[in-house]
Amino acid sequence: MSWCILAVTAAVFLFQVSLPPRDFINLIFEYGLIPMAVGDAEGLGGFVTYTFLHTGWWHVLTNLWMFWIFADNVEDVTGPWRFLAFYLLCGVVAGVAHCIADSDSPVPVVGASGALSGVLGAYFLLYPHARITTLVFLLILRLPAALYLGGWFLFQLFSAFHEGMDGIAWWAHPGGFIAGIALLPLFRINRPLPSAIPGPEAPPPPDDPNDPWARYRSK
Protein backbone atom coordinates (compact mmCIF):
# COMPACT_ATOMS: atom_id res chain seq x y z
CA MET A 1 0.00 0.00 0.00
CA SER A 2 2.91 2.36 0.67
CA TRP A 3 4.05 1.95 -2.92
CA CYS A 4 0.49 2.54 -4.16
CA ILE A 5 0.24 5.79 -2.17
CA LEU A 6 3.63 6.89 -3.53
CA ALA A 7 2.56 6.09 -7.10
CA VAL A 8 -0.81 7.84 -6.82
CA THR A 9 0.70 10.96 -5.23
CA ALA A 10 3.42 11.14 -7.90
CA ALA A 11 0.88 10.56 -10.70
CA VAL A 12 -1.39 13.31 -9.39
CA PHE A 13 1.49 15.76 -9.28
CA LEU A 14 2.62 14.87 -12.80
CA PHE A 15 -0.95 15.52 -13.92
CA GLN A 16 -0.87 18.87 -12.10
CA VAL A 17 2.32 20.05 -13.81
CA SER A 18 0.93 19.03 -17.19
CA LEU A 19 -1.86 21.60 -16.80
CA PRO A 20 -1.70 25.24 -17.90
CA PRO A 21 -0.96 27.61 -14.99
CA ARG A 22 -4.55 28.77 -14.64
CA ASP A 23 -5.88 25.20 -14.55
CA PHE A 24 -3.15 24.26 -12.06
CA ILE A 25 -4.36 26.97 -9.68
CA ASN A 26 -8.02 26.11 -10.25
CA LEU A 27 -7.32 22.48 -9.36
CA ILE A 28 -5.74 23.51 -6.06
CA PHE A 29 -8.70 25.72 -5.20
CA GLU A 30 -11.13 22.98 -6.22
CA TYR A 31 -9.57 20.09 -4.29
CA GLY A 32 -7.39 21.79 -1.68
CA LEU A 33 -8.49 22.29 1.91
CA ILE A 34 -9.86 25.81 2.44
CA PRO A 35 -10.53 26.48 6.15
CA MET A 36 -13.13 29.14 5.42
CA ALA A 37 -15.11 26.68 3.27
CA VAL A 38 -15.28 23.69 5.61
CA GLY A 39 -18.73 24.73 6.79
CA ASP A 40 -19.97 24.00 3.28
CA ALA A 41 -20.70 20.33 2.57
CA GLU A 42 -18.73 20.55 -0.69
CA GLY A 43 -15.68 21.78 1.19
CA LEU A 44 -15.49 18.68 3.38
CA GLY A 45 -14.04 16.59 0.57
CA GLY A 46 -10.91 18.69 0.76
CA PHE A 47 -9.95 16.94 3.99
CA VAL A 48 -8.98 13.91 1.90
CA THR A 49 -8.07 15.28 -1.53
CA TYR A 50 -5.67 17.96 -0.25
CA THR A 51 -3.24 15.23 0.82
CA PHE A 52 -2.54 14.22 -2.79
CA LEU A 53 -1.92 17.72 -4.20
CA HIS A 54 1.35 19.68 -4.10
CA THR A 55 2.52 23.11 -5.18
CA GLY A 56 5.92 22.30 -6.68
CA TRP A 57 8.72 19.81 -7.20
CA TRP A 58 10.51 20.48 -3.92
CA HIS A 59 7.22 20.19 -2.03
CA VAL A 60 6.31 16.79 -3.47
CA LEU A 61 9.83 15.30 -3.50
CA THR A 62 10.53 16.05 0.17
CA ASN A 63 7.20 14.56 1.23
CA LEU A 64 7.63 11.45 -0.91
CA TRP A 65 11.20 10.97 0.28
CA MET A 66 10.18 11.09 3.95
CA PHE A 67 7.20 8.84 3.26
CA TRP A 68 9.42 6.30 1.50
CA ILE A 69 11.77 6.14 4.50
CA PHE A 70 9.18 5.62 7.22
CA ALA A 71 5.90 4.35 5.79
CA ASP A 72 6.69 0.71 5.01
CA ASN A 73 7.79 0.02 8.60
CA VAL A 74 4.50 1.36 9.91
CA GLU A 75 2.55 -0.64 7.33
CA ASP A 76 4.32 -3.78 8.59
CA VAL A 77 2.34 -3.59 11.83
CA THR A 78 -1.00 -2.46 10.37
CA GLY A 79 -1.38 -4.34 7.12
CA PRO A 80 -2.08 -2.60 3.80
CA TRP A 81 -5.73 -1.59 4.07
CA ARG A 82 -5.52 -0.54 7.68
CA PHE A 83 -2.48 1.53 6.77
CA LEU A 84 -4.42 3.31 4.02
CA ALA A 85 -7.22 4.16 6.47
CA PHE A 86 -4.66 5.24 9.08
CA TYR A 87 -2.84 7.48 6.59
CA LEU A 88 -5.99 9.18 5.35
CA LEU A 89 -7.38 9.67 8.85
CA CYS A 90 -4.13 11.25 10.04
CA GLY A 91 -4.42 13.63 7.09
CA VAL A 92 -7.98 14.51 8.12
CA VAL A 93 -6.96 15.20 11.74
CA ALA A 94 -4.01 17.30 10.54
CA GLY A 95 -6.39 19.28 8.34
CA VAL A 96 -8.75 19.83 11.26
CA ALA A 97 -5.85 21.13 13.36
CA HIS A 98 -4.97 23.65 10.66
CA CYS A 99 -8.59 24.75 10.23
CA ILE A 100 -8.95 25.34 13.96
CA ALA A 101 -5.75 27.40 14.02
CA ASP A 102 -6.62 29.46 10.94
CA SER A 103 -10.38 29.13 10.54
CA ASP A 104 -10.89 32.33 8.54
CA SER A 105 -8.28 31.65 5.88
CA PRO A 106 -9.45 31.59 2.23
CA VAL A 107 -6.10 30.10 1.14
CA PRO A 108 -6.21 26.43 0.12
CA VAL A 109 -3.81 24.06 1.88
CA VAL A 110 -2.32 21.15 -0.08
CA GLY A 111 0.34 18.54 0.58
CA ALA A 112 0.93 15.14 2.15
CA SER A 113 2.83 16.53 5.14
CA GLY A 114 -0.15 16.31 7.50
CA ALA A 115 -0.77 12.62 6.79
CA LEU A 116 2.98 12.03 6.66
CA SER A 117 3.28 13.54 10.15
CA GLY A 118 0.94 10.80 11.35
CA VAL A 119 3.29 8.19 9.89
CA LEU A 120 6.21 9.85 11.69
CA GLY A 121 4.29 9.80 14.96
CA ALA A 122 3.57 6.09 14.56
CA TYR A 123 7.23 5.39 13.76
CA PHE A 124 8.28 7.37 16.83
CA LEU A 125 6.06 5.11 18.94
CA LEU A 126 7.08 1.84 17.28
CA TYR A 127 10.81 2.19 16.68
CA PRO A 128 12.28 4.81 19.05
CA HIS A 129 15.71 3.14 19.04
CA ALA A 130 16.03 2.73 15.26
CA ARG A 131 18.85 4.72 13.66
CA ILE A 132 17.99 7.45 11.16
CA THR A 133 20.66 8.76 8.77
CA THR A 134 20.13 12.50 8.32
CA LEU A 135 21.89 15.74 7.46
CA VAL A 136 22.47 18.12 10.40
CA PHE A 137 24.40 21.35 9.74
CA LEU A 138 26.23 19.83 6.75
CA LEU A 139 27.07 16.71 8.77
CA ILE A 140 25.66 13.27 7.98
CA LEU A 141 24.67 11.70 11.31
CA ARG A 142 22.95 8.51 12.43
CA LEU A 143 20.55 9.46 15.19
CA PRO A 144 18.04 7.46 17.23
CA ALA A 145 14.55 7.82 15.79
CA ALA A 146 13.27 9.17 19.12
CA LEU A 147 15.82 11.99 19.01
CA TYR A 148 15.36 12.77 15.31
CA LEU A 149 11.56 12.67 15.27
CA GLY A 150 11.25 14.26 18.71
CA GLY A 151 13.39 17.16 17.51
CA TRP A 152 11.33 17.39 14.33
CA PHE A 153 8.11 17.57 16.34
CA LEU A 154 9.44 20.28 18.66
CA PHE A 155 10.60 22.32 15.67
CA GLN A 156 7.14 22.09 14.09
CA LEU A 157 5.51 23.07 17.36
CA PHE A 158 7.88 26.01 17.83
CA SER A 159 7.22 27.16 14.27
CA ALA A 160 3.47 26.90 14.76
CA PHE A 161 3.60 29.17 17.81
CA HIS A 162 6.17 31.68 16.54
CA GLU A 163 6.04 31.76 12.74
CA GLY A 164 2.31 32.22 12.37
CA MET A 165 0.58 31.49 9.10
CA ASP A 166 3.33 32.27 6.59
CA GLY A 167 2.11 30.02 3.79
CA ILE A 168 2.90 26.78 5.64
CA ALA A 169 0.22 24.90 7.58
CA TRP A 170 2.43 24.53 10.65
CA TRP A 171 -0.31 23.30 12.96
CA ALA A 172 -1.12 20.42 10.62
CA HIS A 173 2.28 18.88 11.37
CA PRO A 174 2.07 18.49 15.18
CA GLY A 175 -1.63 17.72 14.77
CA GLY A 176 -0.87 14.84 12.41
CA PHE A 177 2.04 13.63 14.56
CA ILE A 178 -0.12 13.41 17.68
CA ALA A 179 -2.88 11.74 15.65
CA GLY A 180 -0.43 9.09 14.48
CA ILE A 181 0.57 8.26 18.06
CA ALA A 182 -3.04 8.21 19.28
CA LEU A 183 -4.53 6.27 16.36
CA LEU A 184 -1.85 3.61 15.88
CA PRO A 185 -3.20 1.26 18.61
CA LEU A 186 -6.57 1.24 16.81
CA PHE A 187 -5.05 0.16 13.49
CA ARG A 188 -2.24 -2.08 14.66
CA ILE A 189 -2.73 -5.81 14.07
CA ASN A 190 -2.44 -7.66 17.36
CA ARG A 191 -0.60 -10.88 16.62
CA PRO A 192 -0.64 -13.40 19.52
CA LEU A 193 2.79 -14.16 20.94
CA PRO A 194 3.83 -17.70 21.87
CA SER A 195 3.79 -18.52 25.57
CA ALA A 196 7.41 -19.71 25.38
CA ILE A 197 10.19 -19.60 22.86
CA PRO A 198 10.49 -23.11 21.36
CA GLY A 199 13.93 -24.62 21.72
CA PRO A 200 15.77 -26.66 19.09
CA GLU A 201 14.53 -30.23 18.76
CA ALA A 202 17.18 -32.75 19.70
CA PRO A 203 17.48 -35.86 17.52
CA PRO A 204 16.17 -39.06 19.12
CA PRO A 205 18.74 -41.30 20.80
CA PRO A 206 20.06 -44.18 18.66
CA ASP A 207 18.17 -46.85 20.63
CA ASP A 208 14.85 -45.05 20.78
CA PRO A 209 12.19 -47.69 20.00
CA ASN A 210 9.94 -45.00 18.53
CA ASP A 211 12.57 -44.09 15.95
CA PRO A 212 11.95 -46.23 12.82
CA TRP A 213 15.47 -45.49 11.57
CA ALA A 214 17.23 -46.47 14.80
CA ARG A 215 18.63 -49.74 13.46
CA TYR A 216 20.15 -47.94 10.48
CA ARG A 217 21.95 -45.31 12.55
CA SER A 218 25.65 -45.53 13.23
CA LYS A 219 26.47 -46.41 16.84
Side-chain angles (χ1 to χ4, degrees):
M1 187 59 69
S2 298
W3 284 106
C4 290
I5 294 173
L6 278 171
V8 170
T9 304
V12 170
F13 181 71
L14 291 177
F15 170 73
Q16 285 184 258
V17 297
S18 71
L19 297 174
R22 181 180 295 274
D23 293 338
F24 183 99
I25 295 174
N26 289 338
L27 185 71
I28 288 179
F29 271 89
E30 181 70 23
Y31 294 102
L33 176 61
I34 303 176
M36 202 171 68
V38 296
D40 186 355
E42 295 181 358
L44 295 178
F47 279 106
V48 175
T49 54
Y50 88 100
T51 297
F52 297 94
L53 300 174
H54 291 83
T55 56
W57 285 101
W58 179 252
H59 189 199
V60 69
L61 289 177
T62 52
N63 279 339
L64 292 183
W65 177 67
M66 292 283 285
F67 182 87
W68 177 73
I69 292 174
F70 296 102
D72 57 341
N73 298 109
V74 177
E75 185 181 348
D76 285 341
V77 302
T78 63
W81 293 107
R82 286 174 180 238
F83 178 75
L84 176 62
F86 170 81
Y87 179 76
L88 295 177
L89 188 54
C90 286
V92 170
V93 175
V96 170
H98 171 70
C99 289
I100 292 174
D102 198 20
S103 58
D104 296 328
S105 174
V107 180
V109 171
V110 296
S113 56
L116 170 63
S117 298
V119 174
L120 300 184
Y123 194 99
F124 176 84
L125 189 65
L126 289 168
Y127 311 107
H129 302 296
R131 293 282 174 170
I132 306 298
T133 302
T134 185
L135 183 66
V136 179
F137 299 117
L138 303 179
L139 297 175
I140 297 177
L141 302 177
R142 283 179 58 81
L143 302 174
L147 180 61
Y148 175 76
L149 295 176
W152 179 91
F153 173 77
L154 292 177
F155 174 77
Q156 305 302 318
L157 202 59
F158 175 85
S159 299
F161 276 112
H162 292 87
E163 297 295 333
M165 298 298 123
D166 57 354
I168 298 177
W170 288 111
W171 279 108
H173 301 166
F177 191 91
I178 294 172
I181 293 176
L183 293 173
L184 179 66
L186 303 178
F187 290 90
R188 185 173 185 174
I189 298 175
N190 295 317
R191 297 182 176 90
L193 297 175
S195 57
I197 299 176
E201 294 184 3
D207 297 328
D208 186 353
N210 296 320
D211 180 12
W213 300 96
R215 59 180 173 174
Y216 299 109
R217 295 183 186 277
S218 174
K219 298 296 184 181

PDB file of all heavy atoms in Angstrom, residues 36-64:
ATOM      1  N   MET A  36     -11.919  28.318   5.407  1.00  0.00           N
ATOM      2  CA  MET A  36     -13.125  29.135   5.417  1.00  0.00           C
ATOM      3  C   MET A  36     -14.316  28.412   4.784  1.00  0.00           C
ATOM      4  O   MET A  36     -15.474  28.779   5.015  1.00  0.00           O
ATOM      5  CB  MET A  36     -12.861  30.445   4.669  1.00  0.00           C
ATOM      6  CG  MET A  36     -13.811  31.564   5.035  1.00  0.00           C
ATOM      7  SD  MET A  36     -13.284  33.158   4.328  1.00  0.00           S
ATOM      8  CE  MET A  36     -13.547  32.859   2.583  1.00  0.00           C
ATOM      9  N   ALA A  37     -14.042  27.362   4.002  1.00  0.00           N
ATOM     10  CA  ALA A  37     -15.114  26.679   3.273  1.00  0.00           C
ATOM     11  C   ALA A  37     -15.531  25.363   3.903  1.00  0.00           C
ATOM     12  O   ALA A  37     -16.388  24.677   3.357  1.00  0.00           O
ATOM     13  CB  ALA A  37     -14.666  26.425   1.832  1.00  0.00           C
ATOM     14  N   VAL A  38     -14.967  25.001   5.055  1.00  0.00           N
ATOM     15  CA  VAL A  38     -15.285  23.686   5.612  1.00  0.00           C
ATOM     16  C   VAL A  38     -16.706  23.607   6.137  1.00  0.00           C
ATOM     17  O   VAL A  38     -17.246  22.514   6.328  1.00  0.00           O
ATOM     18  CB  VAL A  38     -14.295  23.306   6.733  1.00  0.00           C
ATOM     19  CG1 VAL A  38     -12.898  23.159   6.191  1.00  0.00           C
ATOM     20  CG2 VAL A  38     -14.340  24.314   7.870  1.00  0.00           C
ATOM     21  N   GLY A  39     -17.337  24.757   6.376  1.00  0.00           N
ATOM     22  CA  GLY A  39     -18.729  24.734   6.790  1.00  0.00           C
ATOM     23  C   GLY A  39     -19.657  24.316   5.668  1.00  0.00           C
ATOM     24  O   GLY A  39     -20.788  23.882   5.921  1.00  0.00           O
ATOM     25  N   ASP A  40     -19.192  24.418   4.440  1.00  0.00           N
ATOM     26  CA  ASP A  40     -19.970  23.998   3.279  1.00  0.00           C
ATOM     27  C   ASP A  40     -19.749  22.510   3.062  1.00  0.00           C
ATOM     28  O   ASP A  40     -18.627  22.008   3.154  1.00  0.00           O
ATOM     29  CB  ASP A  40     -19.504  24.793   2.051  1.00  0.00           C
ATOM     30  CG  ASP A  40     -20.372  24.520   0.834  1.00  0.00           C
ATOM     31  OD1 ASP A  40     -21.264  23.657   0.926  1.00  0.00           O
ATOM     32  OD2 ASP A  40     -20.134  25.157  -0.208  1.00  0.00           O
ATOM     33  N   ALA A  41     -20.812  21.783   2.757  1.00  0.00           N
ATOM     34  CA  ALA A  41     -20.700  20.332   2.566  1.00  0.00           C
ATOM     35  C   ALA A  41     -19.711  19.993   1.455  1.00  0.00           C
ATOM     36  O   ALA A  41     -18.978  18.999   1.536  1.00  0.00           O
ATOM     37  CB  ALA A  41     -22.072  19.733   2.254  1.00  0.00           C
ATOM     38  N   GLU A  42     -19.651  20.821   0.411  1.00  0.00           N
ATOM     39  CA  GLU A  42     -18.733  20.553  -0.687  1.00  0.00           C
ATOM     40  C   GLU A  42     -17.276  20.734  -0.266  1.00  0.00           C
ATOM     41  O   GLU A  42     -16.381  20.128  -0.855  1.00  0.00           O
ATOM     42  CB  GLU A  42     -19.053  21.463  -1.870  1.00  0.00           C
ATOM     43  CG  GLU A  42     -20.419  21.207  -2.496  1.00  0.00           C
ATOM     44  CD  GLU A  42     -20.671  22.115  -3.684  1.00  0.00           C
ATOM     45  OE1 GLU A  42     -19.794  22.958  -3.980  1.00  0.00           O
ATOM     46  OE2 GLU A  42     -21.741  21.982  -4.311  1.00  0.00           O
ATOM     47  N   GLY A  43     -17.047  21.546   0.743  1.00  0.00           N
ATOM     48  CA  GLY A  43     -15.679  21.782   1.192  1.00  0.00           C
ATOM     49  C   GLY A  43     -15.112  20.669   2.043  1.00  0.00           C
ATOM     50  O   GLY A  43     -13.900  20.605   2.267  1.00  0.00           O
ATOM     51  N   LEU A  44     -15.959  19.737   2.505  1.00  0.00           N
ATOM     52  CA  LEU A  44     -15.488  18.677   3.378  1.00  0.00           C
ATOM     53  C   LEU A  44     -14.619  17.664   2.638  1.00  0.00           C
ATOM     54  O   LEU A  44     -13.757  17.022   3.237  1.00  0.00           O
ATOM     55  CB  LEU A  44     -16.677  17.965   4.035  1.00  0.00           C
ATOM     56  CG  LEU A  44     -17.524  18.816   4.993  1.00  0.00           C
ATOM     57  CD1 LEU A  44     -18.680  18.012   5.538  1.00  0.00           C
ATOM     58  CD2 LEU A  44     -16.658  19.354   6.135  1.00  0.00           C
ATOM     59  N   GLY A  45     -14.852  17.521   1.338  1.00  0.00           N
ATOM     60  CA  GLY A  45     -14.036  16.585   0.566  1.00  0.00           C
ATOM     61  C   GLY A  45     -12.574  16.959   0.533  1.00  0.00           C
ATOM     62  O   GLY A  45     -11.708  16.103   0.345  1.00  0.00           O
ATOM     63  N   GLY A  46     -12.293  18.235   0.755  1.00  0.00           N
ATOM     64  CA  GLY A  46     -10.909  18.692   0.757  1.00  0.00           C
ATOM     65  C   GLY A  46     -10.072  18.081   1.856  1.00  0.00           C
ATOM     66  O   GLY A  46      -8.842  18.045   1.755  1.00  0.00           O
ATOM     67  N   PHE A  47     -10.701  17.564   2.912  1.00  0.00           N
ATOM     68  CA  PHE A  47      -9.953  16.943   3.994  1.00  0.00           C
ATOM     69  C   PHE A  47      -9.208  15.694   3.545  1.00  0.00           C
ATOM     70  O   PHE A  47      -8.257  15.267   4.200  1.00  0.00           O
ATOM     71  CB  PHE A  47     -10.889  16.594   5.157  1.00  0.00           C
ATOM     72  CG  PHE A  47     -11.202  17.747   6.059  1.00  0.00           C
ATOM     73  CD1 PHE A  47     -12.447  18.358   6.026  1.00  0.00           C
ATOM     74  CD2 PHE A  47     -10.255  18.249   6.936  1.00  0.00           C
ATOM     75  CE1 PHE A  47     -12.745  19.422   6.854  1.00  0.00           C
ATOM     76  CE2 PHE A  47     -10.540  19.319   7.768  1.00  0.00           C
ATOM     77  CZ  PHE A  47     -11.792  19.918   7.730  1.00  0.00           C
ATOM     78  N   VAL A  48      -9.654  15.086   2.445  1.00  0.00           N
ATOM     79  CA  VAL A  48      -8.975  13.908   1.896  1.00  0.00           C
ATOM     80  C   VAL A  48      -8.146  14.268   0.672  1.00  0.00           C
ATOM     81  O   VAL A  48      -6.973  13.901   0.570  1.00  0.00           O
ATOM     82  CB  VAL A  48      -9.994  12.810   1.541  1.00  0.00           C
ATOM     83  CG1 VAL A  48      -9.293  11.635   0.851  1.00  0.00           C
ATOM     84  CG2 VAL A  48     -10.711  12.324   2.795  1.00  0.00           C
ATOM     85  N   THR A  49      -8.738  15.027  -0.247  1.00  0.00           N
ATOM     86  CA  THR A  49      -8.070  15.277  -1.525  1.00  0.00           C
ATOM     87  C   THR A  49      -6.848  16.180  -1.394  1.00  0.00           C
ATOM     88  O   THR A  49      -5.916  16.075  -2.208  1.00  0.00           O
ATOM     89  CB  THR A  49      -9.058  15.905  -2.517  1.00  0.00           C
ATOM     90  OG1 THR A  49      -9.652  17.079  -1.928  1.00  0.00           O
ATOM     91  CG2 THR A  49     -10.172  14.926  -2.866  1.00  0.00           C
ATOM     92  N   TYR A  50      -6.816  17.040  -0.368  1.00  0.00           N
ATOM     93  CA  TYR A  50      -5.671  17.964  -0.253  1.00  0.00           C
ATOM     94  C   TYR A  50      -4.364  17.218  -0.046  1.00  0.00           C
ATOM     95  O   TYR A  50      -3.287  17.718  -0.393  1.00  0.00           O
ATOM     96  CB  TYR A  50      -5.903  18.962   0.877  1.00  0.00           C
ATOM     97  CG  TYR A  50      -5.444  18.529   2.251  1.00  0.00           C
ATOM     98  CD1 TYR A  50      -4.237  18.967   2.777  1.00  0.00           C
ATOM     99  CD2 TYR A  50      -6.218  17.665   3.033  1.00  0.00           C
ATOM    100  CE1 TYR A  50      -3.805  18.580   4.034  1.00  0.00           C
ATOM    101  CE2 TYR A  50      -5.801  17.271   4.286  1.00  0.00           C
ATOM    102  CZ  TYR A  50      -4.602  17.725   4.791  1.00  0.00           C
ATOM    103  OH  TYR A  50      -4.178  17.331   6.030  1.00  0.00           O
ATOM    104  N   THR A  51      -4.445  16.013   0.525  1.00  0.00           N
ATOM    105  CA  THR A  51      -3.244  15.234   0.819  1.00  0.00           C
ATOM    106  C   THR A  51      -2.486  14.848  -0.437  1.00  0.00           C
ATOM    107  O   THR A  51      -1.263  14.666  -0.403  1.00  0.00           O
ATOM    108  CB  THR A  51      -3.643  13.976   1.609  1.00  0.00           C
ATOM    109  OG1 THR A  51      -4.217  14.382   2.864  1.00  0.00           O
ATOM    110  CG2 THR A  51      -2.451  13.076   1.884  1.00  0.00           C
ATOM    111  N   PHE A  52      -3.172  14.723  -1.567  1.00  0.00           N
ATOM    112  CA  PHE A  52      -2.543  14.220  -2.792  1.00  0.00           C
ATOM    113  C   PHE A  52      -2.135  15.331  -3.759  1.00  0.00           C
ATOM    114  O   PHE A  52      -1.656  15.045  -4.850  1.00  0.00           O
ATOM    115  CB  PHE A  52      -3.496  13.239  -3.490  1.00  0.00           C
ATOM    116  CG  PHE A  52      -3.772  12.017  -2.660  1.00  0.00           C
ATOM    117  CD1 PHE A  52      -4.881  11.954  -1.829  1.00  0.00           C
ATOM    118  CD2 PHE A  52      -2.911  10.932  -2.697  1.00  0.00           C
ATOM    119  CE1 PHE A  52      -5.124  10.824  -1.056  1.00  0.00           C
ATOM    120  CE2 PHE A  52      -3.141   9.798  -1.930  1.00  0.00           C
ATOM    121  CZ  PHE A  52      -4.253   9.746  -1.103  1.00  0.00           C
ATOM    122  N   LEU A  53      -2.301  16.585  -3.360  1.00  0.00           N
ATOM    123  CA  LEU A  53      -1.924  17.718  -4.201  1.00  0.00           C
ATOM    124  C   LEU A  53      -0.677  18.399  -3.637  1.00  0.00           C
ATOM    125  O   LEU A  53      -0.463  18.415  -2.420  1.00  0.00           O
ATOM    126  CB  LEU A  53      -3.066  18.735  -4.272  1.00  0.00           C
ATOM    127  CG  LEU A  53      -4.392  18.246  -4.845  1.00  0.00           C
ATOM    128  CD1 LEU A  53      -5.456  19.332  -4.711  1.00  0.00           C
ATOM    129  CD2 LEU A  53      -4.240  17.847  -6.305  1.00  0.00           C
ATOM    130  N   HIS A  54       0.140  18.977  -4.526  1.00  0.00           N
ATOM    131  CA  HIS A  54       1.345  19.684  -4.101  1.00  0.00           C
ATOM    132  C   HIS A  54       1.549  20.915  -4.978  1.00  0.00           C
ATOM    133  O   HIS A  54       1.009  20.997  -6.086  1.00  0.00           O
ATOM    134  CB  HIS A  54       2.569  18.768  -4.161  1.00  0.00           C
ATOM    135  CG  HIS A  54       2.540  17.678  -3.134  1.00  0.00           C
ATOM    136  ND1 HIS A  54       1.838  16.505  -3.333  1.00  0.00           N
ATOM    137  CD2 HIS A  54       3.104  17.592  -1.898  1.00  0.00           C
ATOM    138  CE1 HIS A  54       1.963  15.739  -2.260  1.00  0.00           C
ATOM    139  NE2 HIS A  54       2.734  16.369  -1.381  1.00  0.00           N
ATOM    140  N   THR A  55       2.357  21.845  -4.476  1.00  0.00           N
ATOM    141  CA  THR A  55       2.519  23.114  -5.176  1.00  0.00           C
ATOM    142  C   THR A  55       3.764  23.169  -6.056  1.00  0.00           C
ATOM    143  O   THR A  55       3.888  24.069  -6.877  1.00  0.00           O
ATOM    144  CB  THR A  55       2.597  24.268  -4.163  1.00  0.00           C
ATOM    145  OG1 THR A  55       3.668  24.008  -3.235  1.00  0.00           O
ATOM    146  CG2 THR A  55       1.288  24.387  -3.393  1.00  0.00           C
ATOM    147  N   GLY A  56       4.699  22.249  -5.881  1.00  0.00           N
ATOM    148  CA  GLY A  56       5.923  22.303  -6.681  1.00  0.00           C
ATOM    149  C   GLY A  56       6.760  21.057  -6.478  1.00  0.00           C
ATOM    150  O   GLY A  56       6.456  20.190  -5.649  1.00  0.00           O
ATOM    151  N   TRP A  57       7.866  20.984  -7.242  1.00  0.00           N
ATOM    152  CA  TRP A  57       8.721  19.806  -7.204  1.00  0.00           C
ATOM    153  C   TRP A  57       9.343  19.582  -5.838  1.00  0.00           C
ATOM    154  O   TRP A  57       9.382  18.444  -5.342  1.00  0.00           O
ATOM    155  CB  TRP A  57       9.812  19.914  -8.274  1.00  0.00           C
ATOM    156  CG  TRP A  57       9.301  19.666  -9.659  1.00  0.00           C
ATOM    157  CD1 TRP A  57       9.003  20.599 -10.610  1.00  0.00           C
ATOM    158  CD2 TRP A  57       9.027  18.381 -10.243  1.00  0.00           C
ATOM    159  NE1 TRP A  57       8.552  19.985 -11.756  1.00  0.00           N
ATOM    160  CE2 TRP A  57       8.557  18.625 -11.561  1.00  0.00           C
ATOM    161  CE3 TRP A  57       9.123  17.067  -9.791  1.00  0.00           C
ATOM    162  CZ2 TRP A  57       8.193  17.588 -12.418  1.00  0.00           C
ATOM    163  CZ3 TRP A  57       8.764  16.027 -10.643  1.00  0.00           C
ATOM    164  CH2 TRP A  57       8.302  16.295 -11.936  1.00  0.00           C
ATOM    165  N   TRP A  58       9.879  20.643  -5.217  1.00  0.00           N
ATOM    166  CA  TRP A  58      10.511  20.478  -3.918  1.00  0.00           C
ATOM    167  C   TRP A  58       9.496  20.015  -2.878  1.00  0.00           C
ATOM    168  O   TRP A  58       9.787  19.159  -2.030  1.00  0.00           O
ATOM    169  CB  TRP A  58      11.150  21.796  -3.482  1.00  0.00           C
ATOM    170  CG  TRP A  58      11.807  21.731  -2.146  1.00  0.00           C
ATOM    171  CD1 TRP A  58      11.373  22.298  -0.976  1.00  0.00           C
ATOM    172  CD2 TRP A  58      13.024  21.042  -1.819  1.00  0.00           C
ATOM    173  NE1 TRP A  58      12.233  22.008   0.047  1.00  0.00           N
ATOM    174  CE2 TRP A  58      13.261  21.242  -0.438  1.00  0.00           C
ATOM    175  CE3 TRP A  58      13.930  20.292  -2.564  1.00  0.00           C
ATOM    176  CZ2 TRP A  58      14.365  20.704   0.213  1.00  0.00           C
ATOM    177  CZ3 TRP A  58      15.035  19.757  -1.911  1.00  0.00           C
ATOM    178  CH2 TRP A  58      15.243  19.963  -0.545  1.00  0.00           C
ATOM    179  N   HIS A  59       8.290  20.548  -2.958  1.00  0.00           N
ATOM    180  CA  HIS A  59       7.219  20.191  -2.031  1.00  0.00           C
ATOM    181  C   HIS A  59       6.913  18.701  -2.116  1.00  0.00           C
ATOM    182  O   HIS A  59       6.870  17.988  -1.099  1.00  0.00           O
ATOM    183  CB  HIS A  59       5.975  21.034  -2.362  1.00  0.00           C
ATOM    184  CG  HIS A  59       4.887  20.923  -1.348  1.00  0.00           C
ATOM    185  ND1 HIS A  59       3.574  21.271  -1.639  1.00  0.00           N
ATOM    186  CD2 HIS A  59       4.888  20.505  -0.058  1.00  0.00           C
ATOM    187  CE1 HIS A  59       2.836  21.081  -0.561  1.00  0.00           C
ATOM    188  NE2 HIS A  59       3.618  20.617   0.410  1.00  0.00           N
ATOM    189  N   VAL A  60       6.712  18.191  -3.317  1.00  0.00           N
ATOM    190  CA  VAL A  60       6.311  16.790  -3.475  1.00  0.00           C
ATOM    191  C   VAL A  60       7.478  15.843  -3.214  1.00  0.00           C
ATOM    192  O   VAL A  60       7.306  14.778  -2.604  1.00  0.00           O
ATOM    193  CB  VAL A  60       5.689  16.549  -4.861  1.00  0.00           C
ATOM    194  CG1 VAL A  60       6.724  16.661  -5.980  1.00  0.00           C
ATOM    195  CG2 VAL A  60       5.002  15.187  -4.919  1.00  0.00           C
ATOM    196  N   LEU A  61       8.692  16.210  -3.655  1.00  0.00           N
ATOM    197  CA  LEU A  61       9.828  15.299  -3.498  1.00  0.00           C
ATOM    198  C   LEU A  61      10.214  15.119  -2.034  1.00  0.00           C
ATOM    199  O   LEU A  61      10.537  14.000  -1.606  1.00  0.00           O
ATOM    200  CB  LEU A  61      11.025  15.799  -4.305  1.00  0.00           C
ATOM    201  CG  LEU A  61      10.891  15.678  -5.827  1.00  0.00           C
ATOM    202  CD1 LEU A  61      12.110  16.285  -6.528  1.00  0.00           C
ATOM    203  CD2 LEU A  61      10.722  14.216  -6.247  1.00  0.00           C
ATOM    204  N   THR A  62      10.195  16.192  -1.248  1.00  0.00           N
ATOM    205  CA  THR A  62      10.533  16.050   0.169  1.00  0.00           C
ATOM    206  C   THR A  62       9.500  15.191   0.902  1.00  0.00           C
ATOM    207  O   THR A  62       9.856  14.350   1.744  1.00  0.00           O
ATOM    208  CB  THR A  62      10.650  17.419   0.846  1.00  0.00           C
ATOM    209  OG1 THR A  62       9.458  18.189   0.584  1.00  0.00           O
ATOM    210  CG2 THR A  62      11.849  18.182   0.321  1.00  0.00           C
ATOM    211  N   ASN A  63       8.235  15.373   0.580  1.00  0.00           N
ATOM    212  CA  ASN A  63       7.203  14.563   1.226  1.00  0.00           C
ATOM    213  C   ASN A  63       7.316  13.095   0.828  1.00  0.00           C
ATOM    214  O   ASN A  63       7.207  12.199   1.669  1.00  0.00           O
ATOM    215  CB  ASN A  63       5.814  15.095   0.872  1.00  0.00           C
ATOM    216  CG  ASN A  63       5.418  16.293   1.711  1.00  0.00           C
ATOM    217  OD1 ASN A  63       5.958  16.521   2.785  1.00  0.00           O
ATOM    218  ND2 ASN A  63       4.473  17.079   1.221  1.00  0.00           N
ATOM    219  N   LEU A  64       7.521  12.832  -0.463  1.00  0.00           N
ATOM    220  CA  LEU A  64       7.626  11.451  -0.914  1.00  0.00           C
ATOM    221  C   LEU A  64       8.880  10.781  -0.368  1.00  0.00           C
ATOM    222  O   LEU A  64       8.864   9.582  -0.059  1.00  0.00           O
ATOM    223  CB  LEU A  64       7.615  11.393  -2.445  1.00  0.00           C
ATOM    224  CG  LEU A  64       6.304  11.789  -3.129  1.00  0.00           C
ATOM    225  CD1 LEU A  64       6.422  11.622  -4.643  1.00  0.00           C
ATOM    226  CD2 LEU A  64       5.138  10.957  -2.591  1.00  0.00           C
TER     227      LEU A  64
END
